[in-house]
């Protein structure tokens, strides 16, 4: 049995798919923590421009929607994301047609659910992300998403706060988006950075907490619902929950 | 900057307004501006009562000259009073918005002095926010009954949504409990805005302006007065049809004020929940108010209104999942809009059986009594068995309902910005 190890990038995954698609019961993964089965033959894949283009071309021919779906699936923060994506591609190659509406097929069900988890989290963070004003007037927002969604939420914040310099920092993956009101760059960072806050930041956080306390209707407690919509793991950087 | 004390007073006075959604508008950012509106709405936080925070919900002032009995801010009440200036509010909105705390502003006010004067101050805040602070985020403005027509039209050109609260579901209750308001003072501006929005939508090319892109909503208090659910739903239906309202909110009565004319107990959340379920049936499932509850009737407590309708109309069931048209699927208890659309898509590729439905996460607990899959039926021919099963299902869910992820229908009892 072959185990294809990719470096986690999209191109590398497509290169692996080139062989893996017809290689029955193989494993494709980017995780170093994967448990190798007995008799596994490890293949370390390096991105190959030509193989990658050929896979993409076929996908575009049979099911153009896949070129949007696969990158979403690969943003998922779990070890078997490549495997889910591979099964999805195999089905497309078998049917030679778009498959996204085959909602009772196991491969489509799995892929749809995983994609949904990514887009749902991205949507949630358009609301749950919190900026703090730095002393230089740059707004800093750290967050710890389950999935790699920095690039997904970035366009939203650039449209919305286009006249405000900001940094959005994924502290789990050690990467940050820097925006200076003209252009935006994504850079690798340390997992923790020190930010000096502006003088008024504390006052506004206090006002926000006051607002949060006051708008609650204490006679109608429903904490479980609150936690369902706003899971505790997202509270870390929300001033109103501290 | 506004101080914490006044922020507290002005927020606590505003919080019983349930509306909080920030959806329905696509206002874009402008050159040199801040903010835009997201058409689906965004929730920015959730409070321990399970409701979402999407907008900064606040009053300009709680110094009211009216004396509506149910209202904690009525003129005779002995409560702390405060007001905020337009600039204080604008600064607060911008500071919160820059930090991504909120999606925009929900501005309301007590009637301080005359309705016209109150509305003018609110309008001043809104225009300042748009023009001086260049804010393009979402603004929901509460309309003040009996304010001048011209003020109302002008406000609608700057805000995304407006709402006039009907509050009490009949003219009689209104006269008794809110003597300074009349039915006309609320319904006439709603009609005016509906007609003006329609006219604005018919304009072509350059003349076309943004006019109230997210439409109008209203709120009804349930349980403060004796109206039946049937009567309330009939009123909602009429408002949806005549003024094309985006939503009617139902707020179960919480006694913040003691008075001999008012009940001194909270109306259960269950009644409010059932009304929302019925409201959803009218808006997304093609039901008429009459089908759900007749004029004098209340909704059953033991199961949801769709189950109740299905039990009264067993002659339409079971329906075949693989062939039934969308309208019939939507009427099956336990199948929601998402589920129905999934079935329609999936059955084009393969014939569906019960295990397929389960894999697609379509809940069969209720639905199995009303559907067949490829001719197979796992329900019961005995009416009483079905009825008992549905009641038991509902009762076991009552505990579940309060747990983590509620079913799509139960989650509607919380008024999230996305709905």
């Amino acid at each position: 049995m072959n185990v294809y190890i990719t470096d986690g990038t999209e191109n590398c995954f497509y290169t692996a798919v080139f062989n893996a698609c017809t290689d029955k019961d193989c494993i494709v993964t980017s995780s170093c923590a994967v448990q190798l089965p007995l008799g596994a033959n490890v293949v370390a894949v390096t991105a190959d421009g030509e193989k990658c283009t050929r896979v993409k071309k076929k996908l575009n021919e049979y099911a153009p929607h896949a070129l949007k779906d696969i990158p979403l699936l690969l943003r998922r923060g779990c070890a078997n994301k490549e495997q889910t994506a591979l099964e999805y591609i195999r089905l497309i190659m078998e049917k030679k047609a778009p498959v996204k509406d085959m909602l009772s097929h196991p491969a489509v069900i799995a892929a749809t659910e995983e994609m949904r988890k990514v887009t749902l989290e991205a949507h949630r963070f358009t609301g749950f992300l919190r900026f703090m004003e730095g002393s230089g007037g740059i707004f800093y927002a750290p967050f710890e998403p389950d999935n790699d969604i920095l690039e997904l939420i970035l366009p939203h914040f650039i449209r919305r706060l286009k006249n405000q310099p900001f940094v959005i920092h994924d502290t789990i993956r050690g990467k940050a988006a820097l925006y200076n009101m003209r252009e935006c760059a994504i850079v690798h960072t340390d997992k923790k950075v020190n930010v000096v806050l502006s003088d008024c930041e504390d006052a506004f956080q206090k006002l926000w907490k006051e607002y949060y306390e006051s708008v609650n209707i204490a006679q109608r407690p429903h904490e479980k619902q609150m936690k369902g919509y706003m899971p505790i793991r997202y509270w870390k950087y929300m001033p109103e929950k501290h | 900057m506004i101080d914490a004390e006044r922020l507290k007073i002005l927020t606590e006075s505003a919080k019983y307004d349930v509306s909080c959604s920030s959806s329905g508008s696509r206002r874009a950012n402008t050159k040199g501006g801040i903010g835009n509106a997201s058409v689906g709405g965004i929730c920015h936080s959730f409070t321990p009562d399970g409701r979402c925070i999407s907008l900064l919900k606040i009053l300009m002032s709680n110094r009211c000259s009216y004396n509506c009995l149910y209202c904690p801010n009525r003129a005779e009440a002995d409560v702390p009073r405060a007001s905020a200036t337009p600039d204080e509010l604008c600064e607060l909105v911008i500071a919160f918005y820059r930090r991504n705390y909120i999606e925009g502003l929900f501005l309301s006010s007590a009637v301080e002095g005359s309705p016209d004067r109150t509305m003018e101050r609110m309008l001043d805040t809104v225009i300042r926010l748009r023009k001086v602070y260049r804010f393009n985020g979402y603004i929901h403005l509460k309309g003040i009954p009996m304010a001048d027509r011209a003020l109302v039209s002008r406000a609608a050109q700057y805000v995304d949504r407006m709402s006039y609260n009907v509050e009490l579901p009949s003219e009689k209750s209104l006269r008794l409990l809110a003597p300074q308001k009349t039915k006309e003072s609320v319904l006439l501006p709603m009609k005016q805005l509906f007609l003006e929005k329609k006219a604005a939508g018919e304009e072509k090319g350059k003349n076309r302006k943004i006019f109230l892109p997210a439409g109008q909503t209203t709120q009804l208090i349930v349980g403060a007065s004796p109206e039946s659910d049937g009567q309330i739903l009939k009123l909602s239906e009429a408002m949806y049809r005549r003024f094309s309202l985006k939503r009617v909110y139902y707020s179960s009565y919480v006694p913040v004020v003691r008075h001999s004319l008012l009940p001194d107990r909270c109306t259960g959340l269950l009644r409010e929940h059932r009304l929302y379920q019925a409201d959803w049936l009218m808006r997304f499932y093609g039901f008429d108010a009459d089908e759900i509850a007749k004029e004098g009737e209340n909704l059953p407590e033991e199961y949801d209104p769709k189950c109740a309708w299905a039990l009264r109309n067993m002659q339409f069931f079971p329906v075949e999942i693989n062939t039934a048209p969308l309208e019939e699927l939507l009427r099956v208890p336990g199948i929601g809009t998402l589920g129905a659309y999934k079935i329609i898509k999936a059955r084009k590729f393969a014939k569906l059986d019960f295990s397929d439905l389960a894999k697609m996460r379509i809940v069969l607990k209720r639905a199995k009594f009303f559907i067949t899959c490829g001719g197979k039926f796992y329900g019961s021919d005995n009416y009483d068995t079905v009825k008992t099963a549905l009641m038991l299902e509902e009762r076991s869910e009552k505990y579940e309902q309060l747990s983590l992820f509620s079913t799509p229908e139960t989650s509607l009892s919380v008024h999230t910005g996305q709905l």
Side-chain angles (χ1 to χ4, degrees):
Chain A
M1 176 197 264
N2 289 325
V3 176
Y4 297 88
I5 309 273
T6 75
D7 62 3
T9 60
E10 209 181 304
N11 283 351
C12 196
F13 170 73
Y14 284 128
T15 311
V17 167
F18 189 83
N19 293 326
C21 203
T22 49
D23 184 350
K24 291 279 175 257
D25 58 65
C26 69
I27 294 174
V28 180
T29 184
S30 62
S31 165
C32 314
V34 72
Q35 175 82 48
L36 293 177
L38 261 181
N41 171 36
V42 174
V43 187
V45 183
T46 45
D48 177 329
E50 203 208 320
K51 286 181 180 172
C52 172
T53 327
R54 282 177 64 186
V55 173
K56 279 184 166 176
K57 204 178 146 207
K58 269 286 174 244
L59 282 178
N60 193 34
E61 187 188 326
Y62 294 151
H65 66 85
L67 293 178
K68 278 187 194 149
D69 296 347
I70 301 297
L72 266 184
L73 277 172
L74 295 179
R75 288 186 178 279
R76 184 79 179 100
C78 68
N80 61 356
K81 59 186 178 196
E82 280 89 2
Q83 208 58 31
T84 314
L86 177 65
E87 296 297 335
Y88 194 58
I89 291 179
R90 277 183 178 151
L91 182 66
I92 292 171
M93 296 302 180
E94 181 200 320
K95 300 283 176 196
K96 297 188 166 43
V99 298
K100 68 172 193 303
D101 286 348
M102 298 176 65
L103 291 169
S104 61
H105 192 287
V108 180
I109 291 175
T112 313
E113 278 178 9
E114 297 297 292
M115 282 189 275
R116 170 81 187 136
K117 282 178 185 153
V118 175
T119 50
L120 174 68
E121 190 179 44
H123 174 73
R124 277 175 159 169
F125 267 109
T126 58
F128 296 160
L129 198 74
R130 294 286 179 266
F131 287 96
M132 349 181 196
E133 191 180 4
S135 59
I138 297 173
F139 284 75
Y140 173 69
F143 75 140
E144 293 182 358
D146 302 337
N147 309 298
D148 186 10
I149 56 167
L150 179 61
E151 289 87 351
L152 298 183
I153 62 170
L154 197 53
H156 168 82
F157 286 104
I158 291 177
R159 271 195 306 273
R160 172 163 289 199
L161 304 171
K162 64 178 178 186
N163 295 306
Q164 168 175 323
F166 63 76
V167 175
I168 301 177
H169 186 187
D170 182 338
T171 55
I172 296 260
R173 290 166 190 79
K175 64 182 201 174
L178 314 175
Y179 173 71
N180 66 357
M181 306 202 286
R182 280 188 313 278
E183 53 205 355
C184 186
I186 293 186
V187 296
H188 286 280
T189 61
D190 292 337
K191 304 220 161 171
K192 201 167 181 229
V193 292
N194 278 324
V195 179
V196 184
L197 296 180
S198 81
D199 300 334
C200 60
E201 181 57 30
D202 188 49
F204 280 118
Q205 288 197 10
K206 280 204 177 110
L207 278 181
W208 173 239
K209 282 187 210 174
E210 183 70 48
Y211 177 73
Y212 183 80
E213 296 284 316
S214 313
V215 84
N216 180 43
I217 298 182
Q219 297 98 314
R220 296 175 58 162
H222 205 340
E223 279 215 27
K224 280 194 173 160
Q225 185 150 267
M226 168 182 73
K227 288 175 184 163
Y229 284 116
M230 188 169 75
I232 299 177
R233 63 181 184 282
Y234 296 150
W235 293 5
K236 189 167 172 187
Y237 296 108
M238 304 178 102
E240 68 268 33
K241 299 311 291 180
H242 293 284
Chain B
M1 197 165 98
I2 192 167
D3 52 284
E5 184 59 31
R6 279 189 297 149
L7 178 63
K8 186 176 165 171
I9 296 172
L10 293 172
T11 306
E12 283 191 336
S13 313
K15 72 180 171 190
Y16 294 99
D17 214 302
V18 270
S19 160
C20 133
S21 85
S22 57
S23 55
S25 173
R26 304 176 186 271
R27 193 179 294 273
N29 206 343
T30 51
K31 195 164 178 264
I34 169 171
N36 59 1
S38 165
V39 72
I42 296 175
C43 294
H44 285 257
S45 194
F46 287 85
T47 41
D49 55 11
R51 300 192 303 165
C52 104
I53 299 182
S54 184
L55 306 172
L56 173 69
K57 204 186 287 181
I58 195 167
L59 297 191
M60 283 219 76
S61 159
N62 71 341
R63 300 194 172 98
C64 199
S65 13
Y66 283 10
N67 212 12
C68 308
L69 287 188
Y70 52 84
C71 178
N73 296 313
R74 71 195 199 284
E76 282 170 4
D78 180 22
V79 290
R81 304 281 174 175
S83 57
T85 67
D87 271 319
E88 280 173 335
L89 287 176
C90 293
E91 276 165 22
L92 190 66
V93 170
I94 298 291
F96 278 7
Y97 197 85
R98 280 174 171 279
R99 288 166 177 75
N100 203 38
Y101 294 165
I102 53 167
E103 200 55 22
L105 172 68
F106 180 131
L107 187 63
S108 180
S109 181
V111 181
E112 189 177 6
S114 70
D116 279 347
R117 197 178 144 233
T118 312
M119 194 79 188
E120 271 165 18
R121 267 167 61 83
M122 291 165 80
L123 190 55
D124 182 25
T125 310
V126 167
I127 294 178
R128 200 173 291 230
L129 198 50
R130 288 272 191 241
K131 288 198 165 162
V132 181
Y133 293 82
R134 298 182 171 195
F135 178 70
N136 301 304
Y138 197 92
I139 301 181
H140 180 153
L141 187 73
K142 182 56 77 57
I144 303 295
M146 286 182 276
D148 193 86
R149 284 179 67 105
L151 288 171
V152 177
S153 309
R154 185 117 193 277
Q157 290 164 19
Y158 291 93
V159 303
D160 295 284
R161 173 169 283 180
M162 282 187 78
S163 59
Y164 282 85
N165 281 1
V166 175
E167 307 287 21
L168 297 161
S170 77
E171 211 176 349
K172 196 174 145 214
S173 301
L174 204 61
R175 223 179 295 130
L176 188 67
L177 299 176
Q180 277 114 326
K181 280 189 190 173
T182 59
K183 194 177 98 187
E184 288 71 32
S185 70
V186 178
L187 295 185
L188 282 180
M190 275 160 96
K191 189 173 171 196
Q192 178 200 339
L193 286 172
F194 163 69
L195 292 174
E196 285 178 21
K197 183 172 158 75
K198 204 169 137 203
E202 281 159 5
E203 289 280 347
K204 292 273 176 329
K206 252 196 216 157
N207 294 329
R208 191 161 187 163
K209 289 194 200 98
I210 303 183
F211 190 91
L212 218 57
Q216 303 185 68
T217 60
T218 192
Q219 169 175 313
L220 294 170
I221 300 177
V222 180
S225 50
E227 290 79 13
S228 68
D229 292 344
Q231 199 177 344
I232 292 171
L233 289 173
K234 198 85 198 152
L235 174 64
S236 300
E237 183 180 56
M239 289 193 293
Y240 282 130
R241 288 190 181 158
R242 284 183 49 204
F243 308 134
S244 39
L245 287 196
K246 293 283 181 202
R247 278 196 68 173
V248 175
Y249 290 90
Y250 307 92
S251 165
S252 68
Y253 172 70
V254 179
V256 273
V257 175
R258 305 245 168 246
H259 193 281
S260 58
L261 284 174
L262 288 170
D264 57 0
R265 283 185 43 211
C266 272
T267 309
L269 289 184
L270 185 60
R271 183 166 179 207
E272 182 187 301
H273 178 55
R274 291 274 180 260
L275 278 167
Y276 275 111
Q277 289 179 318
D279 189 80
W280 245 249
L281 291 182
M282 293 198 294
R283 290 191 300 144
F284 302 116
Y285 293 78
F287 282 84
D288 291 330
D290 257 347
E291 290 178 281
I292 303 167
K294 295 266 181 303
E295 192 83 20
E297 280 171 11
N298 279 320
L299 295 168
E301 286 194 355
E302 52 273 30
Y303 31 69
D304 64 79
K306 204 181 186 185
C307 281
W309 176 83
L311 284 170
R312 283 198 304 271
N313 295 278
M314 287 303 265
Q315 71 276 17
F316 296 130
F317 298 104
V319 299
E320 169 57 41
I321 285 291
N322 287 294
T323 53
L326 180 65
E327 308 81 65
E328 283 178 24
L329 286 179
L330 283 174
R331 292 196 168 222
V332 175
I335 294 185
T337 41
L338 273 179
Y341 284 113
K342 268 199 216 168
I343 291 172
I344 299 264
K345 276 183 183 171
R347 74 187 185 189
K348 284 187 190 143
F349 295 90
K351 203 165 182 198
L352 304 176
D353 57 30
F354 280 98
S355 68
D356 287 325
L357 294 184
K359 273 189 291 181
M360 291 160 70
R361 305 238 166 142
I362 288 168
V363 185
L364 296 170
K365 291 183 297 191
R366 293 188 188 80
K368 69 175 176 203
F369 296 106
F370 304 97
I371 56 172
T372 57
C373 283
K376 280 208 185 73
F377 181 56
Y378 287 134
S380 165
D381 288 333
N382 186 328
Y383 176 83
D384 288 326
T385 320
V386 178
K387 193 172 170 181
T388 317
L390 291 176
M391 276 161 70
L392 286 175
E393 206 48 72
E394 184 71 22
R395 204 172 305 163
S396 70
E397 228 177 49
K398 227 177 244 171
Y399 303 96
E400 219 179 279
Q401 225 174 64
L402 304 172
S403 80
L404 278 179
F405 298 95
S406 29
T407 61
E409 271 133 344
T410 48
S411 59
L412 308 177
S413 63
V414 76
H415 325 295
T416 71
Q418 280 135 320
L419 298 176

